[in-house]
Amino acid sequence: MSTIRGARERARIEVTAAIKDEARRQLAAEGAAKLSLRAVARELGMVSSALYRYFPSRDDLLTALIVDAYDAVGEAAETAARGKAGLPAVPHPARWLAVGCAVRDWALAHPHEYALIFGSPVPGYTAPQDTVGPASRVGQALIGLVRDAYLAEGLAVPPQDAGLRTEGARMAADLAEDLPPAVVVALVAAWAQLFGLISFELFGQFNRVVEAREQFFRHAVQELGRSVGLLDGRHSGARGAGG
């Protein structure tokens, strides 16, 4: 009986993967708004009722694709933040840059999946709670990296804007209570600007504006790291008093 159950589970995994792959092809060709379970079933040679056993609605399929995309870009960021096992520790600013480049590389390699999670909202679709954890992975990778720098006294705490003291305290309590509020405010701004840079490049806003895209991106991400307070190896003991 266990052998039969195992075979059924493997078959379900394979069919689920095939459905997602076809859905991604439709995203690339038609966009998320036109994703259709019937069209996916037709391309796979399935009857619609069979596909509904895997994904009861279009929104269920969209959610699965969204979670997969967030997990993929999140894994890329986390891998870059960790660095390579067995090699000497990489300075925090270099790890910050590596995370930014890993996210950009993933976006350029998967533009339609990036557009699904960071482009225009899909009409009639509301993302469920299931997407929140995967969506936070890049941000958590950045928070973890900055936390490491803070504990190693490789972070110069930026000054706290007086008008953001209350909001900064709320952000810190919600996102990283062990970091100074000024750092968390700067992190949220850097996180938003990171994806703004990538979106501008991917969606064409840099056309005839920025030609050396990679060099520009690397420079901008390094500046974002400095805005958060990351220091190079020549500095230490500079936590500051901004928290």
Side-chain angles (χ1 to χ4, degrees):
M1 182 66 70
S2 60
T3 301
I4 295 173
R5 184 166 58 249
R8 287 174 177 170
E9 289 173 354
R10 286 194 299 273
R12 184 174 184 85
I13 290 171
E14 291 173 0
V15 173
T16 299
I19 292 169
K20 289 180 178 179
D21 286 345
E22 177 55 34
R24 291 187 187 100
R25 281 191 286 271
Q26 290 195 18
L27 287 180
E30 303 287 346
K34 294 185 178 180
L35 181 63
S36 162
L37 289 183
R38 291 183 179 275
V40 170
R42 182 171 59 251
E43 290 298 322
L44 293 176
M46 299 173 63
V47 295
S48 298
S49 58
L51 191 145
Y52 292 145
R53 292 201 293 269
Y54 294 86
F55 297 100
S57 71
R58 181 210 68 158
D59 285 5
D60 290 307
L61 179 53
L62 269 176
T63 296
L65 297 177
I66 288 168
V67 168
D68 284 354
Y70 277 132
D71 278 337
V73 68
E75 183 176 356
E78 291 161 0
T79 299
R82 285 194 301 269
K84 295 183 179 179
L87 295 180
V90 176
H92 297 104
R95 288 169 57 195
W96 173 275
L97 177 60
V99 171
C101 289
V103 174
R104 175 178 179 267
D105 288 347
W106 182 88
L108 294 177
H110 305 88
H112 302 291
E113 291 169 69
Y114 181 90
L116 177 64
I117 54 178
F118 293 113
S120 300
V122 180
Y125 174 79
T126 301
Q129 192 69 20
D130 296 354
T131 62
V132 173
S136 71
R137 290 179 65 172
V138 172
Q140 288 299 324
L142 294 174
I143 289 172
L145 194 162
V146 170
R147 179 182 290 115
D148 289 349
Y150 181 67
L151 294 175
E153 298 191 341
L155 195 73
V157 177
Q160 175 71 72
D161 185 296
L164 286 173
R165 288 191 183 279
T166 300
E167 179 66 0
R170 184 198 64 77
M171 285 183 177
D174 286 348
L175 301 174
E177 61 185 1
D178 55 338
L179 291 176
V183 172
V184 178
V185 169
L187 259 171
V188 172
W191 165 75
Q193 290 173 77
L194 170 64
F195 284 105
L197 286 165
I198 295 170
S199 294
F200 263 47
E201 179 177 1
L202 206 61
F203 301 146
Q205 280 88 350
F206 280 158
N207 291 348
R208 292 184 289 185
V209 177
V210 178
E211 297 296 334
R213 304 281 173 80
E214 182 173 358
Q215 294 91 328
F216 179 83
F217 179 82
R218 292 174 68 89
H219 168 76
V221 171
Q222 287 171 325
E223 289 299 314
L224 291 177
R226 294 186 185 101
S227 75
V228 170
L230 289 175
L231 302 172
D232 63 32
R234 295 171 296 177
H235 300 81
S236 62
R239 287 191 178 183

